[in-house]
Amino acid sequence: MGSFSLWHWLIVLILIGVPLIFVFRKPLAGPNRFGGLPPAMGFGEAIGSFFKNYVNFSGRASRSEFWFSTLFVVLVSIALYAVDRSETLSRIWSLTTFLPSIAMAARRLHDINRSGWWQLLGLLFPIGTVVVLVWYCRASTADDSREAVFA
């Protein structure tokens, strides 16, 4: 009962080892295929962009845009929970911001030249969650920001 069988190790290998193969895979080389360098934004601009690009999954989002909009969503969620303990308003807010949050995260991953589908890696707890969080925090490099040059 207390020993770890071969099947247990196989499950651990699949849940941790296989995602690591995808994690250490480098993004595509060359110019960023998702567009030009996004501008840095202030708190108000980021919130405006968050709601303006409600379900826009194309383009890129800067770190400031991503983190300011995430901060706004969390602060409003906390305020709504403090006002309405039955969580009705919080649930409505969560449904309202669900798609824009996914779109914002996809655009944030585009900024580091990764597909928005990499968000699904975050479903693999704990490895995937940590990796996606690190990618959200990563600044785009000069290689990520090069425009395609057509002759």
Side-chain angles (χ1 to χ4, degrees):
M1 177 96 179
S3 66
F4 228 53
S5 71
L6 179 62
W7 292 108
H8 290 108
W9 283 111
L10 184 62
I11 291 170
V12 168
L13 178 68
I14 290 171
L15 289 177
I16 294 175
V18 172
L20 287 177
I21 293 170
F22 295 106
V23 167
F24 290 118
R25 195 171 152 192
K26 294 222 178 248
L28 294 175
N32 191 312
R33 62 192 188 274
F34 298 108
L37 188 64
M41 294 186 180
F43 189 72
E45 292 173 315
I47 295 167
S49 174
F50 179 75
F51 287 112
K52 187 178 100 181
N53 296 315
Y54 196 79
V55 288
N56 181 9
F57 290 87
S58 62
R60 295 166 68 177
S62 63
R63 284 190 300 172
S64 59
E65 180 181 358
F66 176 79
W67 287 112
F68 280 143
S69 60
T70 302
L71 176 66
F72 174 73
V73 169
V74 169
L75 289 177
V76 170
S77 297
I78 291 170
L80 289 175
Y81 180 73
V83 169
D84 180 23
R85 293 293 175 144
S86 67
E87 295 185 10
T88 305
L89 293 175
S90 294
R91 289 179 183 167
I92 292 170
W93 176 251
S94 295
L95 286 174
T96 304
T97 59
F98 179 69
L99 281 176
S101 297
I102 293 174
M104 176 67 69
R107 291 194 314 270
R108 177 69 204 121
L109 289 174
H110 290 172
D111 192 39
I112 61 169
N113 210 12
R114 294 199 183 266
S115 172
W117 288 102
W118 282 103
Q119 293 178 70
L120 295 176
L121 187 64
L123 297 175
L124 299 172
F125 187 79
I127 297 296
T129 307
V130 171
V131 169
V132 171
L133 184 63
V134 167
W135 285 344
Y136 290 156
C137 294
R138 185 176 160 244
S140 58
T141 62
D143 292 337
D144 296 335
S145 300
R146 285 185 292 153
E147 296 283 342
V149 177
F150 300 104

